[in-house]
């Protein structure tokens, strides 16, 4: 267990019907809101009309930024920052998935300062302030609603192959309030739900297999989150099972809140950084990419450090260990069990299914190596992992 | 799973050697500190000298309140509030166990206002502000270092039998910063360590058996905390095992942080309120009292609602379930396993060992019923539980 600092000041308002408290929660922070909308079905479902009504009933002036796409783009965020400055916005309200929430965070950080917001992602400037923010999560996946992470794709280059999907990690990015209402989640389609479940599991296991021993509390919490996700997979056939939606959404939130990373190496999220490079080039779903990349990555780690994989196979999957099975073999059985879970959820098992071609591999590797993240990649291992994913 | 709000803004600074960062952490909050000292060996061990040195090196003026006793008394807290007002204290620094930290919280709440601090405990007034506070935890037990709870004993009456040990629960009571350094814990003697371990387990299981179904994440976290405590019991024979101390202290902190109570009924902590009445009359150790009261209480609950006890027996203790065993019998086996754990830690198994006599039972019952807590006790059940504890 390493020394650590843990800090997460986001207030969580959780449960069926809590979306109705949006106006009151926003009012506690400001009176002129920028509502960040996400592309997709939420508008048609009336979610945004309900958000506006709730805020206006609370006496809030509401301005709108339409429609954030997945892998939110810098150009759109600059548009939001311009609106925030012009309209004297004093509270940001994102209603959507990780894309809308991350766009909201970037706007909250960019609005109060004269610097260009991308400077913070390039580590050229330090964040010193941000507008207050309420995040309403409409999909269980990224945990963005209580995290200090922001991921943005810089789309300045005309050639999309040169786009950079980079992350910023800063305490100013914590939303002040997160509203999680299982009723909003019931309409998430099966494929996206499964991708979100894989994303949640990835957020645990990218840190869990860090090689740092003696971290029993974080281990138990991480294992509990993974088990909860798997034990609630019935949601894929019963999308309106609100008990399962509630369990999955709280699991997703805590997976990325920093809690179960306490005492870990925090070397970085290697599979995530690879996925970011893939996502920048293919605009493919984050969780689907992770479902392919993460097991492939873990197979390499297990070869060298199987101890934790043994614990994972035993505690999470309760796998029987036959006589003579080595640690590596038993650890691999746990990874295989995880791949089987992803398979029965209908997730892809190869990057080709997400539009990645062999020819893209050098660009993906370059994209990973260009990223300003701290994780130290070996180029050769990167290539081997990517080829295993094809 | 019930709807809930979760909020815990305390920054945790955790790990071996982190006590050395006290000066820097305090400096971030103020420049004139009131150091709250606890009775016991910390002074002789040089812990307070180190605290003063660290703060003075950071340029902080340090005033001192000596020595808080267990079950901290209102008279002492009023003394601290008077010093805080006179010396224009702008940051409270508690270094000690739950008693020093709770005294610090009460002083932080009482110092900025003209009202008498007991008014907040009587629910006569609402807390509206508090001085910033740093809590350095020197024993793993109450989790006070990141909780919003404050427990104080009103010692105004000359007759100690009439003292009230009451709790206040308010967001202003969260310390701004908690420092947890396993090195400070290595000197905690066996008996106190065991009492703290029982306290940690109590903080989980008082909420866990709430009868609210479908709360898998909180269940897994709670079970993980209990398992971590039991799996690190080696500390009782190896007090300077800092890995075990670290695991136990993080478990104790999270048990009381509000995290694993998310989605629970939050009806209250019945065994705690009984122990508070016992503690007010006997000045006995909190954790030791809980080790007796909690199993006795749970045996009554198991008779009516054994479902969760079945889960506990299976997941925490992995008990075999023989053919024909009823839910109540299997649930009781889990409670028996917990009692066996407390027994091998050397904890008392009857309240008589803590100085409680049969004649005190009516006063204890009255003390519980007089408490302003929300839990609804049946007087008859209270008496049956207490008689079972004798």
């Amino acid at each position: 267990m390493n020394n650590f600092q843990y800090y997460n000041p986001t207030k969580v308002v959780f449960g069926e019907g809590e979306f109705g408290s949006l106006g009151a929660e926003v009012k506690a922070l400001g009176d002129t809101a920028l509502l960040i909308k996400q592309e997709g079905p939420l508008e048609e479902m009336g979610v945004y009309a309900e958000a506006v009504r709730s805020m206006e009933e609370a006496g809030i002036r509401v301005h709108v930024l339409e429609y954030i796409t997945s892998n939110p783009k810098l150009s759109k965020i600059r548009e939001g920052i311009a609106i925030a400055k012009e309209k004297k916005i004093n509270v940001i309200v994102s209603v959507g998935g990780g894309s809308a929430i991350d766009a909201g965070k970037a706007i909250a950080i960019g609005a109060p300062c004269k610097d260009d917001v991308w400077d913070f992602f390039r580590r050229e400037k330090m964040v010193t302030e941000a507008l207050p923010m309420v995040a309403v999560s409409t999909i269980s996946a990224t945990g963005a609603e209580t995290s200090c992470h922001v991921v943005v794709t810089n789309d300045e280059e005309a050639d999309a192959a040169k786009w950079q999907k980079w992350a910023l990690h800063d305490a100013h990015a914590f939303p002040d309030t997160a509203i999680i209402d299982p009723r909003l989640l019931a309409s998430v389609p099966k494929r996206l739900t499964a991708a979100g479940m894989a994303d949640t599991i990835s957020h645990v296991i990218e840190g869990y297999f860090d090689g740092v021993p003696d971290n029993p509390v974080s281990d138990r919490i991480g294992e509990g989150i993974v088990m909860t996700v798997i034990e609630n997979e019935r949601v894929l056939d019963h999308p309106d099972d609100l008990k399962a939606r509630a369990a999955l959404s709280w699991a997703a939130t805590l997976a990325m809140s920093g809690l179960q990373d306490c005492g870990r190496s925090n070397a970085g999220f290697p599979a995530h950084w690879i996925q970011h490079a893939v996502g920048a080039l293919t605009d493919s779903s984050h969780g689907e990419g992770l479902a392919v990349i993460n097991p492939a990555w873990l197979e390499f780690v297990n070869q060298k450090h199987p101890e934790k994989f043994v614990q994972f196979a035993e505690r999470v999957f309760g796998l029987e260990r036959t006589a003579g099975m080595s640690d590596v073999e038993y650890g691999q059985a746990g990874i295989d069990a995880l791949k089987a879970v992803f398979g029965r959820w209908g997730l892809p098992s190869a990057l080709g299914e997400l539009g990645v071609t062999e020819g893209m591999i050098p660009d993906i590797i370059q994209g990973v190596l260009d990223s300003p993240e701290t994780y130290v990649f070996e180029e050769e291992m990167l290539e081997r992992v990517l080829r295993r994913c094809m």
Side-chain angles (χ1 to χ4, degrees), chain A:
Chain A
M1 187 176 186
N2 289 348
N3 285 16
F4 66 86
Q5 291 199 4
Y6 173 69
Y7 173 63
N8 192 318
T10 302
K11 179 174 89 169
V12 176
V13 180
F14 187 103
E16 290 179 35
E18 295 294 350
F19 185 42
S21 65
L22 177 65
E25 294 296 339
V26 174
K27 185 71 181 181
L29 299 168
D31 61 8
T32 308
L34 180 61
L35 171 63
I36 316 278
K37 295 183 178 179
Q38 185 150 348
E39 67 166 3
L42 294 168
E43 186 74 85
E44 199 177 322
M45 288 163 55
V47 169
Y48 291 125
E50 193 178 337
V52 170
R53 189 167 54 243
S54 175
M55 287 191 276
E56 288 185 343
E57 282 176 9
I60 296 157
R61 280 179 300 281
V62 182
H63 300 272
V64 172
L65 179 69
E66 293 176 338
Y67 287 107
I68 305 296
T69 59
S70 65
N71 298 314
K73 307 300 182 295
L74 181 59
S75 56
K76 192 77 185 174
I77 285 157
R78 287 183 176 143
E79 187 186 327
I81 291 170
I83 297 174
K85 288 183 173 179
E86 185 198 333
K87 302 293 184 187
K88 301 197 189 320
I89 298 295
N90 55 24
V91 55
I92 301 290
V93 180
S94 286
V95 179
S99 304
I101 295 172
D102 277 9
K105 290 176 176 180
I107 293 166
I109 285 168
C113 71
K114 288 180 180 167
D115 301 315
D116 180 69
V117 71
W118 190 249
D119 288 348
F120 301 122
F121 290 81
R122 292 192 303 136
R123 276 65 167 166
E124 287 290 311
K125 299 256 170 64
M126 295 284 288
V127 182
T128 57
E129 58 179 324
L131 293 181
M133 176 172 174
V134 175
V136 180
S137 173
T138 62
I139 179 170
S140 308
T142 65
E145 62 277 9
T146 73
S147 87
C148 65
H149 310 292
V150 199
V151 185
V152 167
T153 297
N154 185 329
D155 58 344
E156 279 177 340
E157 296 276 352
D159 177 5
K162 291 183 177 160
W163 289 1
Q164 295 159 319
K165 182 174 176 179
W166 282 4
L168 172 68
H169 320 283
D170 192 282
H172 292 87
F174 284 114
D176 294 77
T177 307
I179 298 177
I180 304 168
D181 186 337
R183 286 186 197 160
L184 292 179
L185 309 171
S187 61
V188 178
K190 178 172 178 172
R191 186 175 158 182
L192 264 179
T193 301
M197 290 159 73
D199 195 17
T200 299
I201 290 177
S202 282
H203 291 152
V204 173
I205 62 183
E206 291 231 33
Y208 179 91
F209 295 108
D210 64 349
V212 176
D214 303 309
N215 198 352
V217 179
S218 291
D219 283 359
R220 291 281 185 195
I221 294 174
E223 292 153 5
I225 289 170
V226 174
M227 286 188 279
T228 297
V229 173
I230 297 172
E231 286 165 359
N232 284 278
E233 62 185 4
R234 68 180 184 277
V235 78
L236 296 171
D237 293 320
H238 304 281
D240 53 0
D241 182 330
L242 294 189
K243 289 176 182 169
R245 292 285 186 186
L248 290 168
S249 58
W250 190 223
T253 300
L254 288 186
M256 204 56 207
S257 69
L259 174 73
Q260 55 87 31
D261 282 314
C262 287
R264 302 213 184 283
S265 72
N266 291 316
F269 275 30
H272 265 70
W273 310 147
I274 299 172
Q275 192 287 321
H276 286 180
V278 170
L281 293 183
T282 61
D283 226 14
S284 57
S285 146
H286 180 61
E288 289 185 317
L290 287 170
V292 180
I293 297 162
N294 222 329
W297 179 267
L298 293 179
E299 287 176 5
F300 281 96
V301 181
N302 178 49
Q303 296 291 328
K304 291 182 185 171
H305 305 290
E307 308 77 19
K308 199 66 170 284
F309 290 85
V310 168
Q311 177 178 311
F312 186 78
E314 188 183 335
R315 290 190 185 171
V316 173
F317 290 108
L319 296 181
E320 206 181 331
R321 186 164 182 174
T322 50
M325 221 174 181
S326 72
D327 280 0
V328 170
E329 286 165 340
Y330 187 63
Q332 180 63 44
I335 298 171
D336 290 343
L338 184 64
K339 287 160 79 171
V341 166
F342 290 161
R344 74 172 177 254
W345 293 351
L347 290 165
S349 59
L351 287 181
E353 299 171 51
L354 300 174
V356 176
T357 61
E358 290 273 345
M360 287 181 183
I361 288 181
D363 280 342
I364 293 172
I365 291 172
Q366 199 54 50
V368 175
L369 295 175
D370 285 349
S371 152
E373 296 299 338
T374 51
Y375 192 90
V376 181
F377 284 98
E378 290 170 38
E379 190 170 339
E380 189 204 330
M381 183 166 167
L382 255 182
E383 179 158 356
R384 285 167 65 199
V385 169
L386 281 165
R387 295 212 177 274
R388 182 173 291 204
C389 293
M390 294 306 293

